[in-house]
Amino acid sequence: MKIASIIGSSRAEGNTELLANEVLKDIKHQKVYLKDLSIQPIEDLRHTKEGFQLIDDDYDQIVKVFMENDVIIFATPIYWYTMSGLMKNMIDRLSQAIRDERYPQFKERIKTVEAIVIAVGGDEPRIKGLPLIQQFRYTFDFLNMNFSTYILGEANKPGDILNDSQALSQAQFLNKSLAAQLN
């Protein structure tokens, strides 16, 4: 089993990444930082005769993550009660990826991928972050991906997530579960 985390934070080693690190502690995985990739916004051409056009950016790296991993952790800070713009932009481009003739097996492959969401926010995230989780659920349902679980953590300042005992406990439990699947 291969695991990747897609980090949607614009801050290096932010609370979301720290929580994802707890989930993946001592587990071999690939980490992708959306802030370090150039991913252009989608131009919705699915209803035009020409369809989507090839864009010269880093999105193929994201397609490769989906194609090569069995578990993908979507880690995003909660910005304005939803996912980060970096994460949303990446998700939007899935509309293009599922129609990309260069990846005819993409739609079938992602049906076998397990999705996990980790989100951290500062304004009652266990309540106000639930619409974000529902948004991910609808996305994964549309893609026929298995959405296995999520963790919502609470933090404001850098490092605050390490004081959220509930989120850390959930992260440790998920870590043990993933580690057991690897053995």
Side-chain angles (χ1 to χ4, degrees):
M1 179 172 73
K2 293 178 72 176
I3 301 173
S5 62
I6 299 175
I7 309 296
S9 178
S10 60
R11 179 176 35 202
E13 297 183 28
N15 287 305
T16 304
E17 183 177 356
L18 291 176
L19 188 56
N21 288 345
E22 289 296 314
V23 168
L24 295 166
K25 187 175 184 175
D26 299 324
I27 293 176
K28 183 181 176 187
H29 64 280
Q30 175 185 11
K31 189 181 287 189
V32 177
Y33 294 94
L34 293 177
K35 69 178 182 61
D36 295 337
L37 299 177
S38 172
I39 300 176
Q40 296 300 311
I42 191 166
E43 182 179 358
D44 187 355
L45 299 172
R46 64 193 148 135
H47 300 295
T48 65
K49 182 179 177 184
E50 298 80 23
F52 288 107
Q53 303 299 304
L54 189 61
I55 298 173
D56 185 21
D57 67 2
D58 296 329
Y59 197 75
D60 285 352
Q61 292 179 42
I62 297 299
V63 172
K64 188 175 179 183
V65 169
F66 278 83
M67 297 295 289
E68 295 179 352
N69 290 280
D70 305 299
V71 176
I72 298 178
I73 296 174
F74 297 81
T76 181
I78 301 173
Y79 290 157
W80 291 101
Y81 310 101
T82 191
M83 66 185 72
S84 70
L86 292 169
M87 184 69 69
K88 180 66 167 94
N89 192 42
M90 188 265 315
I91 296 284
D92 284 350
R93 284 288 295 279
L94 286 172
S95 292
Q96 185 171 353
I98 62 176
R99 292 169 178 83
D100 194 324
E101 293 176 1
R102 297 174 302 149
Y103 305 106
Q105 67 282 27
F106 184 77
K107 282 175 70 172
E108 287 303 311
R109 169 67 180 124
I110 61 175
K111 291 178 184 180
T112 68
V113 174
E114 177 183 348
I116 296 169
V117 174
I118 297 172
V120 177
D123 185 14
E124 299 181 61
R126 289 182 183 85
I127 300 297
K128 295 179 180 179
L130 290 175
L132 163 67
I133 298 304
Q134 190 64 57
Q135 181 181 20
F136 271 110
R137 159 79 60 207
Y138 291 146
T139 298
F140 300 142
D141 284 352
F142 180 83
L143 295 169
N144 294 305
M145 289 178 67
N146 174 33
F147 181 22
S148 64
T149 193
Y150 66 90
I151 300 173
L152 290 170
E154 185 166 358
N156 285 300
K157 293 182 284 184
D160 276 358
I161 193 62
L162 300 176
N163 299 319
D164 183 341
S165 60
Q166 181 177 341
L168 291 175
S169 177
Q170 291 174 308
Q172 291 163 0
F173 180 81
L174 183 52
N175 172 270
K176 288 177 184 173
S177 175
L178 289 171
Q181 291 178 50
L182 291 170
N183 294 328

